[in-house]
């Protein structure tokens, strides 16, 4: 018995020592490490860098004619990627809602592939220089419903050149491939506002693709009209602003091709042998827009006019005229900031009838009207 009991103190010491060491151990969550190891073993999967636009719920009972319906919003200045349209309550004479709740958008697109992520068999520099669409070009994702900006030209007042024009924006509800449909509207349809126009008549878009950080707009046929250099430059920006707005990406260059091949001159003036970039808004965009109500809107007696302008001393002048009685209301309002694109708004009470709303800027040098936008509405 003495032999059996002689080990008890030693055993007890060992148990205490082991218990003490065990108490000092803090278990860790191994799940992140396991996931990291599993992720490291996976092969990378290329992502298409298109921004997917979720479906936009229809407001009211307006039907979509064909693949699109043109209407105006009251948000978003030059960067069309921030939102698609602001809230509004007016209704056009055709019954189409003038604005809708912004679309629910998916997360931002994944980064454009770099040399590190491209397959080793491809030459990155050679791919960027290639303007002909290839099988590796990623087409737009087709959507059931989306709202896209469409840009138009409008005559610039207060300048000696009759051909001087600036960009004005409208909104369109489309189904299918957003940028492709926006270009199709720009080249084949007539804007609701009679003051807007397009020099892209006769053009026929084929498809819009993206490859190696360049968006290619391929046409079956391009316009054959030759324009003067200034008008040709703004008309080219009309395409760039429309495509980038529909893609919600104002930085990616735009390559223009015809039947998959580069063309030397667009409108007889603009070199399109290399990708084109977006011009500054102040250089090509009209300095005052009326964004709500839209052309042909039907409203109540109290009318709130909203817009955006880049105005000297933040001053926007306006005049409203009853087209039948010639009753006139004239005053001015202010943008939230001066000398940069920022919103303005004012409210007036109008008698029933058809009214023309004009918003315009006045030159600080000679008092002449330099920029203007107008809308005709029906007051019930």
């Amino acid at each position: 018995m003495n032999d059996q009991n002689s080990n008890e103190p030693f055993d007890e010491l060992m148990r205490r020592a082991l218990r003490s060491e065990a108490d000092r151990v803090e278990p860790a969550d191994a799940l992140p490490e396991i996931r990291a190891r599993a992720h490291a073993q996976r092969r990378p999967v290329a992502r298409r860098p298109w921004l997917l636009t979720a479906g936009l719920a229809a407001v009211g009972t307006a039907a979509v004619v064909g693949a699109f319906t043109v209407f105006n919003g009251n948000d978003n200045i030059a960067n069309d990627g921030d939102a698609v349209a602001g809230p509004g309550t007016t209704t056009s004479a055709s019954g189409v809602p003038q604005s809708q709740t912004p679309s629910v958008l998916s997360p931002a697109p994944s980064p454009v592939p770099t040399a590190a992520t491209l397959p080793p068999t491809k030459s990155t520099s050679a791919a960027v220089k290639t303007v002909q669409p290839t099988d590796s070009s990623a087409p737009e994702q087709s959507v059931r419903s989306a709202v896209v900006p469409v840009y138009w030209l409008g005559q610039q007042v207060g300048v000696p050149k009759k051909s001087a024009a600036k960009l004005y924006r409208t909104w369109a509800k489309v189904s299918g491939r957003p940028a492709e449909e926006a270009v199709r509207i720009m080249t084949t349809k007539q804007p609701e506002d009679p003051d807007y126009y397009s020099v892209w008549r006769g053009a026929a878009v084929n498809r819009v693709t993206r490859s190696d950080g360049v968006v290619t707009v391929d046409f079956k046929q391009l316009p054959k009209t030759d324009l003067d250099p200034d008008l040709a430059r703004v008309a080219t920006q009309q395409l760039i602003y429309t495509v980038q707005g529909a893609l919600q990406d104002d930085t990616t260059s735009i390559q223009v091709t015809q039947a998959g091949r580069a063309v030397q001159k667009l409108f007889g003036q603009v070199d399109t042998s290399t990708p084109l970039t977006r011009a500054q808004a102040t250089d090509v965009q009209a300095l005052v827009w009326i964004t709500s109500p839209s052309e042909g809107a039907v409203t109540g007696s109290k009318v709130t006019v909203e817009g955006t302008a880049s105005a000297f001393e933040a001053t926007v002048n306006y005049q409203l005229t009853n087209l039948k009685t010639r009753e006139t209301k004239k005053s001015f309002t202010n943008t939230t900031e001066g000398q940069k694109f920022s919103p303005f708004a004012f409210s007036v009470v109008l008698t029933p009838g058809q009214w023309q709303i004009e918003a315009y800027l006045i030159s600080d040098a000679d008092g002449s009207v330099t920029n203007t936008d107008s809308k005709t509405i029906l007051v019930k």
Side-chain angles (χ1 to χ4, degrees):
M1 181 176 288
N2 289 337
D3 292 340
Q4 293 176 350
N5 294 336
S6 62
N7 291 330
E8 288 181 359
F10 175 78
D11 293 341
E12 180 63 21
L13 289 173
M14 287 297 295
R15 282 193 293 270
R16 291 177 181 177
L18 291 173
R19 188 180 300 113
S20 177
E21 287 300 317
D23 291 340
R24 293 164 59 184
V25 175
E26 295 183 1
D29 184 4
L31 183 57
E33 182 179 356
I34 294 171
R35 286 177 173 170
R37 290 177 182 174
H39 181 73
Q41 294 174 359
R42 294 176 183 170
R43 297 180 63 182
V45 179
R47 295 182 180 178
R48 290 183 178 179
W50 295 100
L51 180 64
L52 306 181
T53 307
L56 178 65
V59 176
T61 59
V64 178
V65 180
F68 51 82
T69 300
V70 178
F71 63 95
N72 287 338
N74 62 354
D75 277 346
N76 250 345
I77 305 171
N79 182 7
D80 302 288
D82 293 340
V84 290
T89 57
T90 58
T91 304
S92 69
S94 60
V96 178
Q98 300 313 313
S99 58
Q100 300 186 7
T101 304
S103 297
V104 179
L105 302 179
S106 64
S110 58
V112 174
T114 63
T117 61
L118 289 173
T121 56
K122 281 190 177 182
S123 170
T124 304
S125 59
V128 171
K129 293 178 182 178
T130 300
V131 297
Q132 183 172 350
T134 65
D135 292 339
S136 62
S137 298
E140 284 186 274
Q141 294 290 335
S142 183
V143 300
R144 294 182 61 184
S145 181
V147 177
V148 295
V150 179
Y151 285 81
W152 307 94
L153 301 182
Q155 183 68 34
Q156 185 181 11
V157 300
V159 293
K161 286 186 63 174
K162 292 184 178 180
S163 61
K166 292 292 185 180
L167 297 181
Y168 291 84
R169 185 197 63 201
T170 61
W171 294 100
K173 182 180 178 181
V174 300
S175 60
R177 293 182 169 90
E180 184 178 317
E181 292 303 323
V183 175
R184 200 180 314 280
I185 295 170
M186 188 195 79
T187 56
T188 65
K189 299 300 177 181
Q190 184 69 28
E192 288 186 355
D193 194 317
D195 296 328
Y196 302 164
Y197 67 98
S198 177
V199 293
W200 286 85
R201 294 291 178 266
V205 65
N206 180 25
R207 63 175 182 166
V208 178
T209 58
R210 187 196 297 264
S211 178
D212 300 320
V214 175
V215 171
T216 298
V217 183
D218 185 53
F219 287 85
K220 299 174 185 177
Q221 180 176 307
L222 282 167
K224 298 179 181 180
T225 306
D226 288 344
L227 304 174
D228 70 66
D230 291 339
L231 185 57
R233 181 178 66 90
V234 179
T236 302
Q237 289 297 316
Q238 179 189 1
L239 173 68
I240 295 172
Y241 269 61
T242 295
V243 172
Q244 291 183 340
L247 298 178
Q248 300 191 8
D249 177 356
D250 60 3
T251 59
T252 300
S253 300
I254 306 297
Q255 178 69 60
V256 179
T257 61
Q258 180 172 272
R261 299 180 181 276
V263 292
Q264 292 301 316
K265 298 289 184 180
L266 184 60
F267 299 114
Q269 302 289 346
V270 180
D271 182 7
T272 57
S273 60
T274 57
L276 303 170
T277 57
R278 183 187 186 97
Q280 291 292 325
T282 51
D283 293 335
V284 295
Q285 182 175 299
L287 297 184
V288 59
W289 288 348
I290 296 175
T291 57
S292 178
S294 66
E295 181 70 21
V298 178
T299 72
S301 59
K302 183 176 181 180
V303 178
T304 298
V305 179
E306 297 176 329
T308 183
S310 177
F312 176 72
E313 294 184 344
T315 302
V316 177
N317 300 274
Y318 64 83
Q319 178 173 307
L320 297 91
T321 304
N322 186 304
L323 297 181
K324 183 177 181 179
T325 66
R326 310 311 298 176
E327 177 186 356
T328 299
K329 294 179 180 289
K330 189 174 181 179
S331 188
F332 68 91
T333 187
N334 295 110
T335 57
T336 55
E337 295 182 73
Q339 285 75 49
K340 65 182 296 186
F341 285 106
S342 53
F344 68 85
F346 61 90
S347 295
V348 290
V349 177
L350 303 176
T351 56
Q354 195 173 38
W355 287 78
Q356 183 180 61
I357 307 170
E358 294 178 278
Y360 56 95
L361 306 183
I362 294 179
S363 170
D364 61 309
D366 57 13
S368 63
V369 175
T370 58
N371 280 263
T372 185
D373 194 12
S374 63
K375 305 294 177 186
T376 301
I377 64 171
L378 179 62
V379 178
K380 291 291 189 178

